[in-house]
């Protein structure tokens, strides 16, 4: 064997070993109890299997961007292992035109792969397509745009001014048009959960009720909580807020297509997002606080997302799954990996916490003024 071929062979072996032992490889850090996944498990799993799979889909989006940054090829890419075993295929990536980064992906049921495993029909609990959105990735090529959107949410409690919001919204609308809203799901982690919540809400206002899964969603009260740190923090906060464009969010919730205010009590009754929250994660823990982070009364009652007192009518606003393991480090509590953990024990709360109500206020203020088309 020539020296050139020998070097090439050694390089291939090294690449293979790196891939096999990479900390983000599916067999290294992925779920352990779904090595032979079957969507029929949904029938007996009370949603645990679906939560695990969808969390893996979001991890795949993180890895699609890392694969791109680190120039991995189709042969050594890490991302596919996080969705192919579940009989899904990559249909499309969502790309931020400003920096070329991948912030989302559409994964569709792979009928051919399912048939090869003797799964003749798609189980009723398995979405036809899933739009998965990643959160902040602390890597140079995408860090700037991720942080911009983080600050946008902190300052304005909205992501509507972001390029990624528009891209994700159009992608989700296209999926609902193609397959029907009941066959589609949207999911996100951290910043991605913020996008998923707001585009899910936007479509619900127009009569499209998309299954929504939010892992460690950012609390709208996080920004307000900074005011309790002290006067210096307030000054810094005002400076950060002044750096962002004032038109990032409008004064009232408006219809995405028409610009007309749309309040829909029907949407509140039919759209129930799933929130997965860790009590030790200060980014999302306010969702478990009945007081909504301590903000009440006064000027808060005039803000966009505050719910009228008579709005709930005993209805369920969201399914809130709470994980509490005692005191944890932030990175562990905010991490995505915990949501496919084998020993995960969650407490389910069907509730209208003040913070959830703030987020969903525009869905249940007034009855719709005109009929909407539902799919």
């Amino acid at each position: 064997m020539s020296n050139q071929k020998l070097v090439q062979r050694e390089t291939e072996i090294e690449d293979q070993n790196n891939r096999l032992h990479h900390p983000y490889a599916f067999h290294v850090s992925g779920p352990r109890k779904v090595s032979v996944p079957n969507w029929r498990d949904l029938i007996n799993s009370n949603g645990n299997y679906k939560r695990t799979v969808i969390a893996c889909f979001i991890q795949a989006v993180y890895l699609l961007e890392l694969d791109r940054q680190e120039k991995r090829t189709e042969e050594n890419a890490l991302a596919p292992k996080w969705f192919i075993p579940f009989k899904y295929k990559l249909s499309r990536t969502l790309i931020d035109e400003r920096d070329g980064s991948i912030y989302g992906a559409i994964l569709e049921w792979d009928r051919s792969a399912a048939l090869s495993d003797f799964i003749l029909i798609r189980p009723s609990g398995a979405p036809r397509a899933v739009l998965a959105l990643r959160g902040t990735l602390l890597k140079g090529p995408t860090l700037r745009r991720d942080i911009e959107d983080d600050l946008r949410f902190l300052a304005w409690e909205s992501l509507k001014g972001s390029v990624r919001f528009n891209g994700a919204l159009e992608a989700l609308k296209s999926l609902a048009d193609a397959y029907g809203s009941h066959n589609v799901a949207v999911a996100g982690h951290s910043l991605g959960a913020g996008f998923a919540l707001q585009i899910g809400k936007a479509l619900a206002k127009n009569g499209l009720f998309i299954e929504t899964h939010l892992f460690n969603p950012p609390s709208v009260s996080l920004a307000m909580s900074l005011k309790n740190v002290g006067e210096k923090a307030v000054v810094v906060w005002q400076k950060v807020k002044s750096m962002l464009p004032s038109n990032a969010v409008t004064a009232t919730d408006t219809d995405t297509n028409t610009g007309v205010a749309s309040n829909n009590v029907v949407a509140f009754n039919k759209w129930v997002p799933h929130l997965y929250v860790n009590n030790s994660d200060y980014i999302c823990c306010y969702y478990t606080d009945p007081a909504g982070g301590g903000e009440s009364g006064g000027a808060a009652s005039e803000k966009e997302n505050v719910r009228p007192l008579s709005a709930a009518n005993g209805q369920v606003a969201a399914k809130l799954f709470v994980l509490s393991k005692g005191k944890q480090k932030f990175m562990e509590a905010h991490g995505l990996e915990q949501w496919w953990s084998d020993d995960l024990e969650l407490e389910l709360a069907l509730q209208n916490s003040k913070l959830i109500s703030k987020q969903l206020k525009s869905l249940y203020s007034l009855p719709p003024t005109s009929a909407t088309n539902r799919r």
Side-chain angles (χ1 to χ4, degrees), residues 358-374:
K358 285 177 64 179
Q359 282 285 21
L360 305 183
K361 170 256 179 182
S362 63
L363 297 181
Y364 44 57
S365 296
L366 296 171
T369 56
S370 61
T372 55
N373 294 325
R374 295 178 174 82

Side-chain angles (χ1 to χ4, degrees), residues 181 197-212 253 255 262-273 311-313 315-319 352 356 359-374:
S181 59
L197 174 62
Q198 294 194 0
I199 64 176
K201 183 175 77 168
L203 292 185
K205 287 161 60 180
N206 291 327
L208 294 174
F209 310 121
I210 309 293
E211 181 181 336
T212 304
D253 268 315
D255 184 284
S262 172
N263 295 308
N264 193 340
V265 70
V266 177
F268 170 63
N269 291 334
K270 293 189 177 181
W271 185 63
V272 181
N313 294 326
Q315 299 288 342
V316 174
K319 290 185 178 181
N352 287 305
I356 292 173
Q359 282 285 21
L360 305 183
K361 170 256 179 182
S362 63
L363 297 181
Y364 44 57
S365 296
L366 296 171
T369 56
S370 61
T372 55
N373 294 325
R374 295 178 174 82

Side-chain angles (χ1 to χ4, degrees), residues 205-226:
K205 287 161 60 180
N206 291 327
L208 294 174
F209 310 121
I210 309 293
E211 181 181 336
T212 304
H213 296 267
L214 312 169
F215 297 87
N216 300 89
S219 304
V220 294
S221 292
L222 181 58
M224 295 304 299
S225 71
L226 294 179

Side-chain angles (χ1 to χ4, degrees), residues 225-259:
S225 71
L226 294 179
K227 293 184 178 181
N228 297 325
V229 176
E231 183 178 355
K232 291 183 179 180
V234 174
V235 174
V236 173
W237 173 243
Q238 294 299 332
K239 287 183 178 180
V240 170
K241 193 168 183 177
S242 67
M243 294 170 60
L244 297 174
S246 60
N247 62 349
V249 62
T250 55
T252 60
D253 268 315
T254 58
D255 184 284
T256 306
N257 297 320
T258 65

Side-chain angles (χ1 to χ4, degrees), residues 105-345:
I106 295 174
L107 299 168
E108 297 188 10
W109 176 257
D110 191 341
R111 186 169 180 270
S112 298
L115 288 174
S116 68
D117 228 11
F118 302 104
I119 302 175
L120 302 182
I121 60 174
R122 176 172 56 90
S124 59
R128 176 68 177 81
V130 178
L131 171 61
L133 302 165
R134 67 168 175 84
T136 303
L137 191 57
L138 299 178
K139 293 283 186 178
T142 187
L143 179 61
R144 177 184 173 186
R145 299 304 182 188
D146 288 357
I147 294 298
E148 277 186 11
D149 283 332
D150 287 327
L151 293 177
R152 185 191 307 276
F153 190 90
L154 284 171
W156 305 108
E157 300 181 1
S158 175
L159 293 163
K160 291 181 181 178
S162 171
V163 170
R164 296 180 182 182
F165 176 89
N166 294 328
L169 180 62
E170 289 303 316
L172 193 56
K173 286 171 62 178
S174 297
L175 289 176
D177 288 342
Y179 303 124
S181 59
H182 60 287
N183 286 320
V184 175
V186 60
H189 172 248
S190 190
L191 176 62
F195 279 111
L197 174 62
Q198 294 194 0
I199 64 176
K201 183 175 77 168
L203 292 185
K205 287 161 60 180
N206 291 327
L208 294 174
F209 310 121
I210 309 293
E211 181 181 336
T212 304
H213 296 267
L214 312 169
F215 297 87
N216 300 89
S219 304
V220 294
S221 292
L222 181 58
M224 295 304 299
S225 71
L226 294 179
K227 293 184 178 181
N228 297 325
V229 176
E231 183 178 355
K232 291 183 179 180
V234 174
V235 174
V236 173
W237 173 243
Q238 294 299 332
K239 287 183 178 180
V240 170
K241 193 168 183 177
S242 67
M243 294 170 60
L244 297 174
S246 60
N247 62 349
V249 62
T250 55
T252 60
D253 268 315
T254 58
D255 184 284
T256 306
N257 297 320
T258 65
V260 178
S262 172
N263 295 308
N264 193 340
V265 70
V266 177
F268 170 63
N269 291 334
K270 293 189 177 181
W271 185 63
V272 181
H274 298 65
L275 286 75
Y276 304 92
V277 172
N278 187 315
N279 273 334
S280 296
D281 176 11
Y282 62 79
I283 286 181
C284 68
C285 64
Y286 284 120
Y287 277 106
T288 65
D289 183 358
E295 180 186 332
S296 61
S301 62
E302 300 176 0
K303 296 186 68 175
E304 171 188 0
N305 288 326
V306 176
R307 178 190 61 157
L309 293 177
S310 61
N313 294 326
Q315 299 288 342
V316 174
K319 290 185 178 181
L320 182 66
F321 298 88
V322 182
L323 174 63
S324 181
K325 288 187 174 181
K327 190 174 181 180
Q328 291 178 282
K329 293 182 179 179
F330 167 70
M331 293 303 293
E332 180 183 2
H334 190 66
L336 182 59
E337 183 173 346
Q338 65 185 310
W339 300 113
W340 62 71
S341 174
D342 294 337
D343 59 350
L344 190 62
E345 294 184 4

Side-chain angles (χ1 to χ4, degrees), residues 34-108:
V34 288
S35 57
V36 185
N38 187 329
W39 274 93
R40 294 189 182 90
D41 291 348
L42 284 170
I43 298 173
N44 301 315
S45 68
N46 297 321
N48 291 332
Y49 187 82
K50 178 178 285 189
R51 183 200 68 243
T52 295
V53 173
I54 290 181
C56 288
F57 288 173
I58 300 171
Q59 178 72 350
V61 180
Y62 280 104
L63 293 176
L64 283 168
E65 173 57 19
L66 287 178
D67 284 343
R68 184 192 72 86
Q69 291 184 19
E70 297 171 9
K71 297 180 172 58
R72 295 192 184 93
T73 64
E74 184 177 346
E75 289 72 25
N76 63 3
L78 296 171
K81 294 294 186 181
W82 289 84
F83 54 82
I84 288 178
F86 303 108
K87 313 309 175 191
Y88 278 75
K89 61 183 177 181
L90 179 63
S91 172
R92 175 188 164 196
T93 55
L94 275 59
I95 298 176
D96 190 323
E97 60 189 25
R98 299 167 300 178
D99 59 9
S101 64
I102 297 171
Y103 66 92
I106 295 174
L107 299 168
E108 297 188 10

